[in-house]
Amino acid sequence: MSGHVVIAVDGPAASGKGTLARRLAAELGYAYLDTGLLYRVVGLILIRQGLDPADENAAAEAAIVFDAATADFNDPALRDEETSKAAGIVAAFPAVRAALVDVQRRFAANPPGGAEGGAQGVARGAVLDGRDIGTVICPDADYKFFLEADIEERARRRVKELRDRGDTVILNLVLQEMKERDERDRTRAVAPLAPAADASVVNTTNLNADAAFALAMSLIR
Ligand code: DC
């Protein structure tokens, strides 16, 4: 390794991992990668091509041709419920996961950016959030956090996020969808959602973003 720091933040949907990971990256001046977006991009490609996200060959093909350099990670459709569902389906396919390993490991090994960093264009560290960062993608990460929260609380957060965006959503449907996605993430054969043995597990059900951030920083420092 090149001497920089890698932080893994894993957990289920709306556990607060994205908020924490982004904040750690900003505070520490590290590069940040939301790895869920990679699976979302693959899911959205299939939706837009009129293909079934459950079509394993089509999903694998989309993941293989996926190019992080040209993908539009700001497309609002990436956050749609339909895309969330498709992402969860494609993420269970081993060939899709295998195709996306390198882009994640390259990011961890050579975090882009870093005005304050060491070598030109390389940040001093990387924060990656996802489901399998601490277990599969970066098992040697310097710090590992696994966030969790009660599913009802996570569904409420997700509803707020979608309503803030202007979407009309029903709590019970979001809750049902989240249960299905959790189940798929936790029970899939390859890289299931689970805390690494050496991860700090943080339950955010009654912890706001500031408290989760303060706790993570105290563990890092
Ligand atoms: O974190 P998210 O909700 O944006 O993730 C979208 C889907 O991708 C979710 O069903 C889990 C899956 N995913 C994964 O399997 N591995 C990751 N490292 C990140 C996300």
Side-chain angles (χ1 to χ4, degrees):
M1 288 298 283
S2 51
H4 63 265
V5 174
V6 174
I7 302 178
V9 184
D10 290 305
S15 56
K17 65 183 187 311
T19 304
L20 175 63
R22 247 189 308 275
R23 227 163 134 179
L24 289 174
E27 172 74 13
L28 299 165
Y30 295 175
Y32 167 59
L33 180 64
D34 171 357
T35 66
L37 281 179
L38 306 176
Y39 298 92
R40 287 173 181 271
V41 167
V42 173
L44 188 56
I45 289 172
L46 297 173
I47 292 169
R48 291 210 167 132
Q49 289 180 347
L51 297 169
D52 182 357
D55 178 340
E56 186 165 359
N57 290 332
E61 179 64 25
I64 288 164
V65 301
F66 163 81
D67 179 359
T70 56
D72 177 9
F73 292 115
N74 295 314
D75 187 334
L78 290 171
R79 297 282 166 203
D80 290 349
E81 278 300 281
E82 188 190 9
T83 310
S84 300
K85 185 172 181 182
I89 293 170
V90 302
F93 296 137
V96 169
R97 303 200 73 83
L100 298 177
V101 165
D102 281 355
V103 63
Q104 297 173 77
R105 289 199 179 139
R106 265 200 310 274
F107 187 96
N110 289 298
E116 316 164 31
Q120 184 71 24
V122 178
R124 286 176 305 182
V127 185
L128 286 81
D129 81 41
R131 302 291 191 288
D132 62 341
I133 308 303
T135 49
V136 174
I137 303 296
C138 302
D140 297 327
D142 301 272
Y143 301 99
K144 297 181 185 179
F145 298 100
F146 189 90
L147 269 58
E148 55 191 17
D150 291 352
I151 191 153
E152 287 78 14
E153 173 60 21
R154 292 193 284 116
R156 277 192 293 273
R157 289 178 193 165
R158 181 78 185 135
V159 163
K160 180 175 182 315
E161 192 184 308
L162 291 166
R163 287 190 180 147
D164 285 350
R165 260 179 43 158
D167 290 1
T168 308
V169 285
I170 297 165
L171 177 62
N172 274 346
L173 293 181
V174 171
L175 180 62
Q176 185 55 37
E177 183 64 40
M178 199 171 256
K179 279 184 180 157
E180 286 169 18
R181 199 145 62 97
D182 270 13
E183 178 68 10
R184 220 178 276 125
D185 290 346
R186 290 199 162 103
T187 58
R188 67 178 173 230
V190 182
L193 170 68
D198 54 350
S200 301
V201 177
V202 179
N203 190 308
T204 67
T205 308
N206 297 306
L207 215 57
N208 67 25
D210 287 346
F213 174 67
L215 178 61
M217 282 306 294
S218 73
L219 290 167
I220 290 169
R221 291 195 165 130

